[in-house]
Each structure stands twice: as structure tokens, then as C-alpha cells.
Amino acid sequence: MSLLDDFLVRAALAGLGVALAAAPLGCFVVWRRMAYFGEATAHAAVLGVALALGLGLSVMPSVLAAALLMALLVSTMTGRGFAMDTALGVMSHTALAAGLVAVTLLSDVRLDLMAYLFGDILAVTASDLGVIWGGAALVLGLTIWRWSGLLLSTLNPDLARASGIDPRREELVLTLALAVVVAVAIKVVGVLLIASLLVIPPAAARPLARTPEAMALGAVGVGALSALGGLWAAYQFDTPTGPSIVCIAALLFLVLTLAGALRRHPA
């Protein structure tokens, strides 16, 4: 019984760590309409996993490097005349396809591909927890430190420049933070669901939030409830944990959106 408690506690802590990292950052993803950007960065993680296994490297740094490289490539392409959705579409699907092909070519390596695609939170180890919470602390600290600059650059880039803030620099900060979130979240929800955890909690918190800070705190709450609720649902109904977390987040989004509509238009 103690073993059961141990792995459930580790899974719960992992989910909370990812929620803490992803939710505030996800607010900027929602405000900047960068949902597909997060998805493209996540898809690059599969290629990072394949390179790590093929070269005998550690998976986490390789995923971080691949996600960061993807984010920087997309930013460069959009600055060279490519439409954002075109650049994201090309890079995202190319990285995912190349990663999947590379993984299948590693015949001498045993790999649970589904765990990387959809997450395997129940297999989180104590060392994984250290990486997840270390990454969460880094992202949260970076977000708090650059909050004013990120917010002003998001709302009004011209005003940001007039205030001595470089919007391009703030975009690079956001890019780095997104890559870190992808690297720490891959074990919990997998590369195909990371974008959902970035977008759904902030979108759910938005209808009831009056300030950007309130929306960020609300997103953390929704993300935490989604992680714990999804873990409970997976344990009770024997469903995949990563998709269960996303389903709970979607349910909370529906409830809070309806609550926001009722508050704006009371009967």
C-alpha cells in the first residue's frame, strides 16, 4: 500500500509542477494567439528524444535543445517574410514526422513511444520530480521577473519600445520559457498534449478574471485541479492519465465559460 501511495504522490507532485510552470506562461500564449507555436515547439521534442537515444545522450537536455531550436527557427522564419501559420505548419509537422521516422530506425533501442506522445505520469521518478520542479521554478521565476516587459510587449509593442523595452527580447524570453516547459512536461502529458495544458487553463480562467495577474493565478488553479482531477479519474476508471488530465481541463473550461457568461448576462 505504501508503494501505491508513493507513486501516486510522485505523480500528483509532477502534475502540480507542470501546472505551475505552464499556466502563467500559457496566458501569454493565449494573449499572443500562439497556441500553434506551443504545439510546434512540443512536436520538436520527439526529434529530441530520437537524437538523444541515437547518440546516447540524456533525454531531457536533448528535448530542451530541440524545442528551443524549433522555437528560434520559427521566430527567424516569421521575421523573413513567412506567414506565421505557414512557418508553424511546415516546421511542426516536419519535426514530428522526422522524429517518428528516426525513432523507428533505432532498432537496437527499446522505446515506449506512447509514453512520449501521451505522457506517463505514473512512471515519474524522484529524479524526474527534481527536473520538473527545477524547470517549473526557472520558468516561474523568469515569468515573474519579466512580467511587466512581457505584458507590455504583448499588449502594445510600440508603447513597449517607447518605454525602453525591446519586444524582440521579450519574445526570446518567452521562447526560452516555452522550450523549458515542453522539456519538463513531456513526461507528464506527452508531446501531443503539452499545447493543451498551455492553452486550456488560461482560457478557462479568462472569463472570470478582471486583471492579467488574476488570470494567471486562476490558470494555475485550473491547471492544478486538472492535474489532480485527471490523475484521480485515470486511477478510478483505468484511463490514460495524460488525456484524462486534458479532459478534466476541458470540462473546467466549459464550466467556467458558462459561469462567466451567466455573470455577464444574469437571468
Side-chain angles (χ1 to χ4, degrees), residues 168-266:
R168 185 67 176 173
R169 182 189 62 201
E170 302 306 319
E171 183 179 330
L172 289 175
V173 170
L174 188 59
T175 296
L176 173 62
L178 272 173
V180 174
V181 167
V182 167
V184 301
I186 187 172
K187 189 82 171 183
V188 176
V189 291
V191 299
L192 297 183
L193 301 176
I194 290 172
S196 302
L197 212 56
L198 277 168
V199 173
I200 297 179
R206 194 174 196 171
L208 299 178
R210 296 182 181 273
T211 65
E213 292 78 11
M215 180 172 162
L217 290 174
V220 171
V222 172
L225 286 174
S226 301
L228 297 179
L231 184 61
W232 174 85
Y235 181 67
Q236 291 293 321
F237 305 109
D238 195 24
T239 54
T241 312
S244 297
I245 291 173
V246 175
C247 286
I248 295 296
L251 180 61
L252 290 172
F253 168 77
L254 178 61
V255 170
L256 292 176
T257 300
L258 291 174
L262 289 174
R263 192 178 71 170
R264 289 191 302 270
H265 307 287

Side-chain angles (χ1 to χ4, degrees), residues 10 27 125 128 137 172 184 237:
R10 288 197 302 270
C27 291
T125 64
D128 290 331
L172 289 175
V184 301
F237 305 109

Side-chain angles (χ1 to χ4, degrees), residues 42-51 95-96 99-100 103 113 116-117 186 191:
H43 284 178
V46 177
L47 187 56
V49 170
L51 290 175
L96 180 60
L100 292 174
V103 166
L113 187 58
Y116 286 104
L117 292 179
I186 187 172
V191 299

Side-chain angles (χ1 to χ4, degrees), residues 18-191:
V18 170
L20 190 64
L25 192 65
C27 291
F28 291 101
V29 172
V30 170
W31 292 330
R32 289 173 175 247
R33 299 179 180 178
M34 292 173 60
Y36 205 11
F37 187 93
E39 186 174 343
T41 306
H43 284 178
V46 177
L47 187 56
V49 170
L51 290 175
L53 295 175
L55 299 175
L57 304 174
S58 178
V59 171
M60 192 66 69
S62 300
V63 168
L64 177 60
L68 184 58
L69 179 61
M70 167 64 76
L72 293 175
L73 281 175
V74 171
S75 296
T76 301
M77 288 180 67
T78 53
R80 297 292 179 86
F82 289 90
M84 174 65 84
D85 59 342
T86 302
L88 288 173
V90 170
M91 299 300 293
S92 172
H93 299 301
T94 299
L96 180 60
L100 292 174
V101 169
V103 166
T104 59
L105 293 177
L106 299 173
S107 56
D108 57 336
V109 176
R110 296 188 62 182
L111 173 67
D112 183 6
L113 187 58
M114 295 296 286
Y116 286 104
L117 292 179
F118 297 104
D120 190 8
I121 191 173
L122 297 180
V124 167
T125 64
S127 60
D128 290 331
L129 273 181
V131 172
I132 290 171
W133 276 92
L138 175 62
V139 170
L140 194 60
L142 193 61
T143 305
I144 293 173
W145 176 45
R146 302 304 308 170
W147 179 265
S148 297
L150 283 169
L151 189 59
L152 189 57
S153 298
T154 298
L155 298 177
N156 194 325
D158 292 332
L159 182 58
R161 291 189 190 94
S163 303
I165 297 172
D166 183 2
R168 185 67 176 173
R169 182 189 62 201
E170 302 306 319
E171 183 179 330
L172 289 175
V173 170
L174 188 59
T175 296
L176 173 62
L178 272 173
V180 174
V181 167
V182 167
V184 301
I186 187 172
K187 189 82 171 183
V188 176
V189 291
V191 299

